[in-house]
Amino acid sequence: MNSSGFTFRRVKEEMIENLLEMGIKDFRVLDAISQVPRHIFLDEALRSRAYENRSLTIGYKQTISQPYIVAKMTELLISHTKSRGKVLGNVLELGSGCGYQSAVLSYFSEQVFAVERIKPLIHKARENLVELKINNVLFKYGDGFLDWDKNISYDGILCAAAPRQYPQELVESLSNDSKIVIPVGDNKFQQLNVITKISKNEIKEELHDEVAFVPMLSGTSIDGNDS
Ligand code: SAH
C-alpha cells in the first residue's frame, strides 16, 4: 500500500473510535462505515480531511454528510433487526448527494432506491459507486417529495434533507415493522424523527438528535443554482 493509503487507514481507524465515543454502538454500522472509503467522494483538495467528523463541500452548494450523522441514521434505521448482512429488502433514500450514505446503506439492503434533485450529483454518485463496485443502488434524478416509486413497499426510508413536516405519503409506502428516519424542522431547529410503522393504521413516533440538514426543496435542478 502506498503512503497515502496507509495514512487513510490510520485516520479512518481514529474516525471509528470517535464514532464509538460519540455513542454509535451497532458494530454492524461501524463495520460498514469502516469499509466505505469516504475520501473517494471528495475532490482531491479535500481528501486529506475525509475522515474528520464533519460535513465537507461537494460543489453545487451541497455537502457530504458528517460521518456521525450517517452512522446514527443507519443505526436507527436497522435497530429493530439483529442479524448481519442485508437485513432490509427495499430501501428508499431521499437526497443522496454524492452517494456516501447510499454506499453505507448498500451493506444493509438488497436494493437501495436513491432520489436526488440536483442532476450533476446523480452522475457523481453513480461514478462513485461504480468505483466502489457497489451495484445494488439505483439513482434517480427527481424531487423526493414526488418522484419515488409508490408501488414498492419499503423496508426502510432515510431522508437526508429536512422538510417542515414529514410527508404522510412515505408512511403509506412503508412495510410493517419498518422505519423512516428523517430530519424535520426549519433553518432554526431540526430534529431527527423516527417513525415506525406498526400496522396499517398504527405508527410510533420518536424524536432523536438535534441536527442541521439542508432544507428539502421542491422541484429538480439542472445545476444546483436554486439551492
Ligand atoms: N446523503 C448525502 C448528503 C446529502 S445532503 C451524503 O451521503 O453525503 C442533502 C441532499 O438532499 C442534497 O444533495 C440536496 O440536493 C438533496 N435534496 C434536497 N431536497 C431534495 C428533494 N426534494 N428531493 C431529492 N433530493 C433533495
Side-chain angles (χ1 to χ4, degrees), residues 68-226:
Y68 169 77
I69 287 296
V70 170
K72 184 72 194 179
M73 290 175 86
T74 311
E75 187 173 74
L76 290 167
L77 194 74
I78 65 167
S79 65
H80 56 298
T81 70
K82 292 287 168 278
S83 49
R84 286 195 161 257
K86 296 188 192 291
V87 288
L88 305 176
N90 296 320
V91 167
L92 177 65
E93 184 196 13
L94 304 177
S96 47
C98 62
Y100 177 60
Q101 171 82 73
S102 328
V104 174
L105 286 174
S106 77
Y107 284 78
F108 301 102
S109 330
E110 296 292 346
Q111 181 70 55
V112 180
F113 298 88
V115 182
E116 168 56 52
R117 70 182 291 279
I118 299 178
K119 197 169 194 181
L121 287 177
I122 288 286
H123 300 303
K124 243 188 187 196
R126 280 194 189 124
E127 271 173 26
N128 289 336
L129 269 65
V130 165
E131 187 173 342
L132 298 181
K133 300 189 170 60
I134 291 173
N135 51 27
N136 61 336
V137 180
L138 208 60
F139 289 101
K140 180 175 179 176
Y141 170 47
D143 173 356
F145 280 115
L146 304 168
D147 299 322
W148 43 276
D149 191 340
K150 281 133 194 136
N151 297 316
I152 294 175
S153 173
Y154 298 100
D155 306 311
I157 300 177
L158 188 149
C159 184
R164 296 291 180 106
Q165 283 139 9
Y166 67 82
Q168 280 301 329
E169 242 190 330
L170 290 177
V171 179
E172 277 142 45
S173 284
L174 198 65
S175 39
N176 288 348
D177 198 28
S178 298
K179 294 167 196 281
I180 304 175
V181 180
I182 185 168
V184 176
D186 53 27
N187 56 5
K188 294 196 186 73
F189 182 76
Q190 294 169 12
Q191 220 171 352
L192 267 187
N193 284 219
V194 178
I195 301 111
T196 305
K197 185 158 173 178
I198 315 274
S199 64
K200 194 169 186 306
N201 299 312
E202 196 186 350
I203 58 164
K204 184 174 88 182
E205 293 173 323
E206 294 163 61
L207 299 177
H208 289 266
D209 303 34
E210 187 180 340
V211 286
F213 279 88
V214 295
M216 187 154 168
L217 300 176
S218 294
T220 53
S221 169
I222 290 291
D223 53 14
N225 276 334
D226 66 339

Side-chain angles (χ1 to χ4, degrees), residues 19-38:
L19 294 177
L20 257 170
E21 277 166 24
M22 291 179 80
I24 304 299
K25 295 188 193 76
D26 192 326
F27 276 86
R28 298 173 298 173
V29 174
L30 292 168
D31 204 36
I33 298 251
S34 71
Q35 287 186 58
V36 178
R38 191 167 181 255

